[in-house]
């Protein structure tokens, strides 16, 4: 078991000031609303802070979500600003589930001013360095392979290729060895299993092979459904618990109970 990361103040617990940083998975995105991101009720229902709020049944502070759907337009400046805004809240736990995605994917010309001159390794290192400012537990998603999403939501230019994704995940692993406050969320494995329609187990609940893709992924094969958003939050909490153990009863582990009420 990993050594628990101490919190900034003795009066705090993990749930005092939770924050999220990231891109469209964290912020909320429904593929049917791609052409109108600002009037998007289906997307709003997918915002990960809503699922985290339903999952944490222990007393907790307001959950702040600094994710944004527009990271792909200006990667580093947008994400750096979101991290700075999160730090201002003095977080007690950070969910950076899809924070690194656009540090590996995307058009190099949309990385930010001067960022296209960096190598892929240097650009990812820059994104990782921003996270080092957090002095609390961080759950960091690794890089999934979104090849099946090319032509559905990603362009060929935005997809970096399997080799680049593998190199990025190795780089993340090396960085994690020097960051005891950060735990890796195997987002890549979850997406791969769902895309391939394999059996998936979340918090003891088994979704059989042949059912997982439709349950957990939207038609773009990249963004989660409501069940997928709930599953990602529960998986994140499972990984967090390995680093900072907390009582089982502080979380509602029943995936179906994290979904929004049906109208």
């Amino acid at each position: 078991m990993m050594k628990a990361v101490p919190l900034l103040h003795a009066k705090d617990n993990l749930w005092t000031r939770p924050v999220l940083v990231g891109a469209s998975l964290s912020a909320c995105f429904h593929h049917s609303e791609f052409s109108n991101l600002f009037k998007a009720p289906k997307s709003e229902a997918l915002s990960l802070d809503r699922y985290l709020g339903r999952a944490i049944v222990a007393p907790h502070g307001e959950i702040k979500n600094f994710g944004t759907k527009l990271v792909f337009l200006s990667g580093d400046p947008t994400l750096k600003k979101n991290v700075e805004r999160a730090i201002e809240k003095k977080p007690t736990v950070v969910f950076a589930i899809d924070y690194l995605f656009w540090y590996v994917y995307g058009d190099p010309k949309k990385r930010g001013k001067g960022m296209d001159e960096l190598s892929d390794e240097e650009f990812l290192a820059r994104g990782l360095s921003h996270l080092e400012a957090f002095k609390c537990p961080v759950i960091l998603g690794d890089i999934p392979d979104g090849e099946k999403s090319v032509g559905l939501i990603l362009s060929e230019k935005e997809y970096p290729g399997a080799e680049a994704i593998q190199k990025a995940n190795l780089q993340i692993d090396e960085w994690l060895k020097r960051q005891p406050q950060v735990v890796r969320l195997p987002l890549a494995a979850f997406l791969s299993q769902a895309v391939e329609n394999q059996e998936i187990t979340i918090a003891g609940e088994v979704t059989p092979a042949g059912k997982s893709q439709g349950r957990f992924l939207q038609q773009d094969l990249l963004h989660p459904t409501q069940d997928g958003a709930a599953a990602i939050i529960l998986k994140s909490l499972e990984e967090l618990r390995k680093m900072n153990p907390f009582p089982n009863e502080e979380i509602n582990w029943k995936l179906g109970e994290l979904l929004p009420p049906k109208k």
Side-chain angles (χ1 to χ4, degrees):
M1 181 177 293
M2 300 178 185
K3 185 178 179 181
V5 177
L7 299 174
L8 289 176
H9 305 288
K11 66 180 180 179
D12 290 337
N13 62 44
L14 278 174
W15 319 125
T16 306
R17 290 179 299 278
V19 304
L20 296 91
V21 294
S24 57
L25 191 158
S26 296
C28 64
F29 177 81
H30 193 279
H31 69 92
S32 67
E33 297 173 332
F34 181 75
S35 60
N36 191 352
L37 297 178
F38 299 102
K39 292 183 179 180
K42 291 181 181 178
S43 295
E44 289 299 322
L46 292 165
S47 185
L48 288 190
D49 56 285
R50 298 179 181 228
Y51 297 84
L52 182 60
R54 297 185 193 109
I56 305 171
V57 294
H60 62 84
E62 182 182 4
I63 299 169
K64 293 288 187 178
N65 190 344
F66 296 101
T68 174
K69 291 176 275 192
L70 302 178
V71 173
F72 64 95
L73 296 177
S74 183
D76 181 70
T78 302
L79 289 163
K80 184 174 183 290
K81 180 63 176 178
N82 288 347
V83 167
E84 290 170 349
R85 291 175 65 200
I87 290 170
E88 290 175 359
K89 298 299 179 181
K90 300 179 180 178
T92 50
V93 62
V94 176
F95 293 80
I97 292 169
D98 62 334
Y99 165 82
L100 289 177
F101 186 86
W102 293 104
Y103 279 105
V104 179
Y105 282 72
D107 183 346
K109 293 181 180 179
K110 295 181 179 180
R111 289 176 171 178
K113 186 176 181 180
M115 295 294 114
D116 58 336
E117 299 175 1
L118 300 179
S119 67
D120 291 346
E121 182 178 356
E122 290 170 335
F123 188 56
L124 177 56
R126 181 175 173 84
L128 290 167
S129 71
H130 298 328
L131 296 176
E132 294 174 12
F134 289 119
K135 306 304 179 184
C136 65
V138 177
I139 304 91
L140 178 64
D142 57 13
I143 309 300
D145 191 331
E147 181 180 13
K148 299 293 186 180
S149 298
V150 174
L152 299 176
I153 190 66
L154 295 173
S155 68
E156 290 187 7
K157 193 171 188 178
E158 289 174 322
Y159 176 64
E163 183 178 352
I165 293 168
Q166 183 180 23
K167 287 181 179 179
N169 280 323
L170 290 173
Q171 183 178 344
I172 293 166
D173 283 342
E174 287 300 312
W175 179 82
L176 283 168
K177 293 176 182 178
R178 306 186 299 274
Q179 306 299 325
Q181 82 280 16
V182 186
V183 64
R184 176 174 175 168
L185 168 68
L187 188 61
F190 174 79
L191 182 69
S192 175
Q193 290 170 341
V195 167
E196 298 300 327
N197 229 353
Q198 297 175 1
E199 179 180 291
I200 294 179
T201 301
I202 301 291
E205 180 182 336
V206 178
T207 300
K211 299 289 187 180
S212 60
Q213 185 186 109
R215 182 181 187 188
F216 295 130
L217 293 181
Q218 296 180 40
Q219 293 176 13
D220 65 9
L221 299 183
L222 186 64
H223 292 92
T225 59
Q226 292 182 1
D227 283 66
I232 289 169
I233 285 298
L234 289 180
K235 185 61 180 173
S236 298
L237 291 167
E238 287 181 323
E239 297 303 316
L240 173 63
R241 197 175 177 191
K242 295 176 183 178
M243 178 172 66
N244 273 59
F246 51 81
N248 192 59
E249 59 269 21
E250 292 188 354
I251 300 298
N252 182 354
W253 297 102
K254 296 180 180 179
L255 191 153
E257 295 182 5
L258 305 191
L259 306 180
K262 293 184 178 180
K263 296 181 180 180

